[in-house]
């Protein structure tokens, strides 16, 4: 491209960036001409470009049909965007990516494609598209999915009454970690043109890279195609965390878009809109001695020093009122645990189940080596849970919070209670005219089996028994708490600064 054409393209891109601040209606997908020019520039630089795609799968549906090894403790509020890629050009044919056989057998993707893929240290993954429409929260997170560990044999997957599916060869000797590789690029920090308070439906680019020079050359190709630095987000994969390469003993990675929103027409249009995902590989692999890893960015620091502790006496009062409301039941508190972050899981060889630094994760206590709950979590007919505590959005410690209902065996969440559902739900127990005006910061919600609702029916959710929409009768039914994004820190609130949500299990007295 001539200098004159390049300058004109940059000016045009600047004008579009300015116009895009006037509202999401002016947001656009990457122009086909720019994409062609970007790929052509990469080819001229000596890169091989492989097409992948971002998919928005029905995670629970696929999991229940044994097309996935787990539902990964999904958040059921809305779809996840998954980066799906083919094998690297230099990847041996006898080294398939994890679970690629299942995806191929079920004709979900072309042969060899997977959600979980290996990456050479001289490769990168590039996404070109737009951010989601307006919602409470979105975030893009890179993960180390699994690691070579001889002797690991995943359990068979069960579906139906008597059907099982053994794990594919690609999953053998692989330890699932599903651990984040750093901070999430969320709606508060993402680089997009225009007003940072309106990051929705804006043009965006992500470069997932290991090496400084590879990232620099890809950025140069983007500039030549008219993409400006104000939309380019680099996500670093550090060789200090991931064992990079395409051999059988190397880690697999994945990249996930989370969105916390109901399925609106705008969200459906976003899911259906064109997006570009490519793997970029030097045609001639670069020796490790010539690579210079990108520096890991500093993690955003949790905590402001402001806590929810002043609400603790009121939460205790609410707990006593809930127990007093159901005198015909025995009460069993369900103990919870503050779960690890990605770095901890990588270091200790634990499955982080797709953690995210933008929220604390608070599940019931379980053995971190066996993942067996330490209490009886089966919720039988006539029994019910009451989840209660602080509505963390109302207390301003989060922009979005929820209680996910989790079937423990498959780690499936078919339904949840969010901060909007929680509003005024504690009134039934504290009284509609509580003397404490802070009562509207609390919540209390019943989780029961079909026909088992008690208390205020507006604040009760019934969980059936079907895999795709409920939890099997004898399967442990767990409640997992999340609180996304403290506004002042742009990351999840500190565990020590929130009042941890609580669970009471009510069992009919004999």
């Amino acid at each position: 491209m001539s200098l004159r054409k390049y300058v004109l393209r940059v000016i045009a891109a600047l004008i579009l960036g300015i116009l895009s601040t006037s509202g999401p209606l002016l947001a656009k997908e990457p122009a086909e001409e720019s994409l062609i020019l970007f790929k052509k520039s990469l080819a001229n630089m000596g890169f091989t470009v492989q097409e992948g795609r971002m998919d928005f799968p029905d995670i629970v549906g696929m999991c229940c049909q044994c097309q996935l090894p787990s539902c990964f403790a999904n958040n059921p509020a809305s779809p996840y965007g998954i980066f799906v890629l083919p094998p690297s050009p230099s990847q041996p044919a006898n080294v398939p990516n994890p679970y690629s056989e299942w995806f191929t057998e079920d004709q979900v993707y072309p042969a060899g494609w997977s959600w979980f893929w290996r990456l050479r240290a001289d490769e990168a993954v590039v996404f070109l598209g737009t951010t989601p429409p307006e919602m409470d929260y979105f975030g893009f997170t890179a993960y180390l999915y699994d690691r070579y560990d001889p002797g690991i044999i995943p359990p068979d997957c069960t579906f139906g009454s008597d059907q099982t599916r053994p794990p594919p060869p690609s999953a053998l000797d692989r330890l699932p970690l599903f651990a984040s590789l750093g901070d999430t690029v969320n709606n508060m920090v993402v680089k997009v043109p225009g007003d940072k308070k309106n990051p929705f439906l804006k043009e965006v680019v992500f470069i997932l890279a290991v090496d400084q020079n590879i990232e620099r050359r890809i950025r140069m190709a983007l500039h030549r195609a008219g993409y400006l630095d104000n939309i380019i987000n680099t996500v670093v994969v550090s060789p200090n965390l991931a064992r990079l390469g395409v051999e059988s003993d190397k880690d697999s990675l994945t990249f996930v878009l989370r969105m916390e929103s109901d399925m609106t027409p705008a969200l459906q249009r976003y899911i259906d809109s064109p997006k570009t995902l490519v793997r970029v590989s030097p045609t001639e692999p670069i020796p490790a001695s010539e690579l210079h890893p990108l520096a890991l960015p500093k993690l955003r620091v949790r905590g402001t020093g402001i806590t929810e502790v002043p609400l603790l006496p009121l939460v205790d009062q609410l707990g006593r009122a809930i127990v007093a409301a159901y005198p015909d039941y025995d009460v069993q508190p369900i103990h919870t645990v503050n779960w690890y972050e990605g770095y901890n899981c990588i270091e200790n060889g634990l499955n982080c189940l797709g953690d995210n630094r933008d929220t604390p994760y608070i599940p019931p206590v379980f053995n971190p080596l066996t993942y067996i709950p330490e209490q009886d979590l089966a919720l039988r007919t006539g029994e019910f849970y009451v989840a209660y505590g602080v509505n963390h959005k109302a207390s301003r410690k989060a922009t979005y919070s929820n209680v996910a209902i989790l079937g423990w065996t498959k780690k499936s969440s078919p339904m949840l209670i969010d901060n909007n559902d929680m509003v005024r739900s504690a009134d039934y127990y504290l009284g509609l005219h509580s003397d404490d005006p802070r009562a509207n910061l609390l919540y209390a919600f019943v989780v029961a089996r079909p026909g088992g609702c008690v208390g205020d029916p507006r604040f009760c959710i019934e969980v059936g028994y079907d895999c795709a929409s409920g939890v099997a009768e004898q399967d442990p039914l767990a409640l997992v708490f999340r609180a996304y994004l403290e506004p002042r820190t742009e990351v999840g609130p500190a565990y020590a600064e929130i009042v941890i949500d609580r669970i009471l299990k009510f069992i009919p007295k004999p």
Side-chain angles (χ1 to χ4, degrees), residues 273-306:
S273 67
K275 304 169 187 67
T276 297
L277 180 69
V278 293
R279 180 201 289 270
V280 180
S281 312
T283 304
E284 294 294 330
I286 299 174
S289 60
E290 298 179 17
L291 296 175
H292 304 280
L294 289 158
L296 264 178
K298 290 183 178 180
L299 294 177
R300 296 193 291 276
V301 179
R302 294 181 187 257
T304 62
I306 300 171

Side-chain angles (χ1 to χ4, degrees), residues 2 37 49 58 105 118 122 166 181 192 200-201 248 292 367 369 379 393 412 415 427 442 470 486 506:
S2 69
L37 185 56
V49 178
D58 174 8
E105 290 168 10
R118 290 173 171 83
D122 62 350
L181 290 168
V192 291
F200 308 107
L201 291 176
S248 61
H292 304 280
N367 185 313
L369 298 178
L379 194 65
K393 180 173 183 178
S412 62
M415 54 187 70
D427 289 350
L442 306 190
E486 185 163 11
F506 288 83

Side-chain angles (χ1 to χ4, degrees), residues 317-332 382-388 425-431 443-448 451-461 503-510:
Q317 178 186 339
L318 174 59
R320 292 190 294 270
I322 292 169
V323 171
Y326 305 111
D328 297 330
Y329 293 81
D330 291 324
V331 183
Q332 175 187 346
E383 300 175 348
F384 59 91
Y385 289 132
V386 179
Y388 71 101
S425 60
D427 289 350
Y428 178 83
Y429 304 100
L430 292 177
Y443 79 94
F445 225 96
V446 175
V447 178
C453 274
V454 296
D456 189 330
R458 296 174 300 165
F459 304 114
C460 177
I461 190 167
I503 311 167
L504 295 174
K505 183 177 182 179
F506 288 83
I507 305 167
K509 291 181 177 179

